[in-house]
Amino acid sequence: MVSLRPTFAIVLRQFYLMQGSPVRVLPLFAWVAIDMITWGFMTKYLNAVSGSGFNFVPSLLGAVLLWDFFVRVMQGVTTAFFEDVWSRNFLNIFATPLSIPEYVGGLVLSSIATASVGLIVMLVLATTVFGLSFLVYGLLLIPYLLVLFLFGISLGVIGCGIVLRFGPASEWLIWPIPALISPLVGVFYPLSTLPAWMRYLSRLLPPSYVFENLRSIVLKRSGSPYALLWGVALDLAFILLASWFFSHIYHHAVRTGLIARYSAESLS
Amino acid sequence: MPPAVLSVRELRKQYGDTIAVDGLSFEVNRNEIVGLLGPNGAGKTTTINMILGVLEPTTGTILVEGADLASKRTQVLACTNFAAVYAPLPGNLTVIQNLRFFGLIYGVKNLASRIQTLLEQFDLLAFRDTKCGVLSSGEQTRVSLAKALLNNPRLLLLDEPTASLDPSVAREIRLKIREFAARGEGGVLWTSHNMYEVADVCDRVLFLSHGRILLAGDPRTLPAEHGKETLEDLFVAVAREPLALERA
């Protein structure tokens, strides 16, 4: 049975760490704010030079905002997990009655809190400084965020599993994951731009449906809720895969003694 | 008769061809402090890790208060706790933050008052808002012990809790552990390389060699029973000539 108290403890720990360290607070909003400013001016420039009358703000700046939200969600999960890696806390944590669903639930709640800060900062900057109106997307904005949120959670949990399996140094494999996925999901261009073999991969990634939908809304004034439903279905498959993967890695770590001697990295 | 606080039966851990723990069976009873002794690599920490649920035994069972760790992990770990010199609490949290964090995970009732009691008991009031990472090793050990007693555990596991402490602080710590064992319903499994400490604290000792229990008994009488003057002499014999002792 999942209890809320231990899950809350994980969130509270993140709060304590933020409270005591401005270095942890700054990245919550600084990088997304820089992204909004950079891409905000970029879209203004494109609007000015294209001369087509096409407004790049909702298609490009909106896409960057949604992509950054996904990245923040994923990194919210992994960063909360890395705190236990960095402080060599696995033995203390996993020798408690805390269950894996409670632990992962705490990582997810921490991520919701930290990603929300970034989202609010991006929304404020994009709307007030660059005139991005979310009315363009209508109610589809909610499934957009949902699809990206669920995918961010699942990739975050998979990232935690990889670091648990391969040791602290494998953290450097996790940070670039969003950059690796970005070309495949068409954040900045339609999927039709990609070669056929890449489009096959795109179809397996839920964010592809969000960004294709977003462009369709901006260009043709019509989105496809069914395509988004497919994105949600893929998300659920990714969540199941991530849960199985982390649980499998955790049990492997308990069987081999990896948790007890985590920093050794070399246990098979 | 209530079940033993800890009952370990035929516990075995094998990594490939290497046998780390080889069929251990022992019990820890209420109000008892049992010393788990042996040279480096004898299997002490492996045994403790298995009892803590962070290492799965190859075979064997671990019962805490009669509940099987394998099938009732949450229930068992809720009434178990530990302190080990190699598992300090996160240094980037303050003493009070660490105790609150672990108190919530262990589901401690009246957490604020329990923390206050432990801060007083371990003389940590002055450090409550200090980050654990900047405390001295003695102070960090006291915080680890306060965390280990947060949930009033029935089974307390201590892996070299006084290593790196000066004799005065080590004596204080021993006193507090003895108080814990005498006063409540709990039992303690203690590992140490300090034989003076073991003789002072433990009611019973188990000597491990190559993952097996070689000798067991009262630390005050066991050396003489095996023709040795002190517990330290016996320890050295276990480390250097385990086969001779096994034959005897």
Side-chain angles (χ1 to χ4, degrees), chain A residues 256-267:
Chain A
T256 58
L258 192 57
I259 283 182
R261 291 176 289 174
Y262 181 67
S263 55
E265 291 190 22
S266 59
L267 297 166

Side-chain angles (χ1 to χ4, degrees), chain A:
Chain A
M1 197 179 77
V2 175
S3 164
L4 287 179
R5 245 179 143 208
T7 302
F8 171 68
I10 304 291
V11 181
L12 183 68
R13 188 264 305 265
Q14 282 309 105
F15 173 74
Y16 284 151
L17 289 169
M18 302 267 171
Q19 195 185 29
S21 165
V23 173
R24 285 182 172 87
V25 177
L26 193 70
L28 294 186
F29 57 86
W31 310 134
V32 292
I34 288 169
D35 257 2
M36 283 300 99
I37 290 165
T38 306
W39 285 97
F41 286 119
M42 176 72 89
T43 50
K44 277 194 159 189
Y45 172 69
L46 288 173
N47 280 350
V49 296
S50 71
S52 63
F54 177 74
N55 186 1
F56 284 89
V57 171
S59 64
L60 210 49
L61 187 62
V64 171
L65 184 150
L66 289 170
W67 183 247
D68 273 352
F69 171 68
F70 153 74
V71 175
R72 290 294 126 192
V73 171
M74 182 195 155
Q75 290 181 350
V77 174
T78 52
T79 308
F81 176 78
F82 291 161
E83 291 294 351
D84 284 316
V85 175
W86 295 329
S87 59
R88 294 177 164 212
N89 199 31
F90 279 167
L91 192 52
N92 288 315
I93 278 272
F94 291 121
T96 67
L98 184 73
S99 68
I100 291 301
E102 286 164 351
Y103 181 62
V104 174
L107 301 181
V108 170
L109 284 181
S110 302
S111 171
I112 290 173
T114 52
S116 300
V117 173
L119 182 63
I120 290 166
V121 169
M122 287 192 290
L123 289 174
V124 169
L125 271 174
T127 50
T128 57
V129 181
F130 299 104
L132 175 64
S133 168
F134 289 97
L135 294 175
V136 178
Y137 311 130
L139 285 175
L140 283 176
L141 183 64
I142 295 164
Y144 288 171
L145 291 173
L146 178 70
V147 169
L148 294 169
F149 169 75
L150 292 175
F151 190 58
I153 294 296
S154 58
L155 275 197
V157 173
I158 288 171
C160 297
I162 291 170
V163 174
L164 181 57
R165 176 64 183 82
F166 295 106
S170 59
E171 174 190 324
W172 299 109
L173 299 175
I174 307 308
W175 295 110
I177 285 178
L180 290 174
I181 291 174
S182 153
L184 292 169
V185 298
V187 182
F188 302 108
Y189 43 73
L191 294 181
S192 56
T193 318
L194 297 172
W197 69 269
M198 283 179 87
R199 284 204 299 273
Y200 287 121
L201 292 175
S202 302
R203 286 188 198 120
L204 297 173
L205 298 170
S208 307
Y209 299 92
V210 170
F211 295 110
E212 283 292 271
N213 216 277
L214 180 142
R215 267 185 296 273
S216 177
I217 289 242
V218 172
L219 293 170
K220 303 175 197 160
R221 304 275 168 209
S222 70
S224 164
Y226 295 109
L228 285 172
L229 270 179
W230 182 237
V232 173
L234 277 175
D235 267 335
L236 295 177
F238 269 98
I239 292 274
L240 288 175
L241 174 73
S243 308
W244 171 83
F245 181 72
F246 190 84
S247 171
H248 174 74
I249 296 289
Y250 168 77
H251 287 109
H252 172 271
V254 170
R255 209 166 43 247
T256 58
L258 192 57
I259 283 182
R261 291 176 289 174
Y262 181 67
S263 55
E265 291 190 22
S266 59
L267 297 166
S268 58

Side-chain angles (χ1 to χ4, degrees), chain A residues 5 8-9 12-13 16-17 19-20 24 89 91-98 250 254-257 260-261, chain B residues 13 15 49 54-56 73-74 77-78 82 86-88 90 92-93 97 100-102 104-108 131:
Chain A
R5 245 179 143 208
F8 171 68
L12 183 68
R13 188 264 305 265
Y16 284 151
L17 289 169
Q19 195 185 29
R24 285 182 172 87
N89 199 31
L91 192 52
N92 288 315
I93 278 272
F94 291 121
T96 67
L98 184 73
Y250 168 77
V254 170
R255 209 166 43 247
T256 58
R261 291 176 289 174
Chain B
K13 183 66 191 177
Y15 298 101
N49 284 336
V54 292
L55 180 62
E56 189 179 283
R73 188 177 187 281
T74 302
L77 292 179
F82 83 106
Y86 48 81
N92 49 18
L93 294 180
Q97 288 170 345
R100 266 193 215 127
F101 172 60
F102 283 102
L104 285 168
I105 289 180
Y106 278 98
V108 176
K131 286 194 176 167

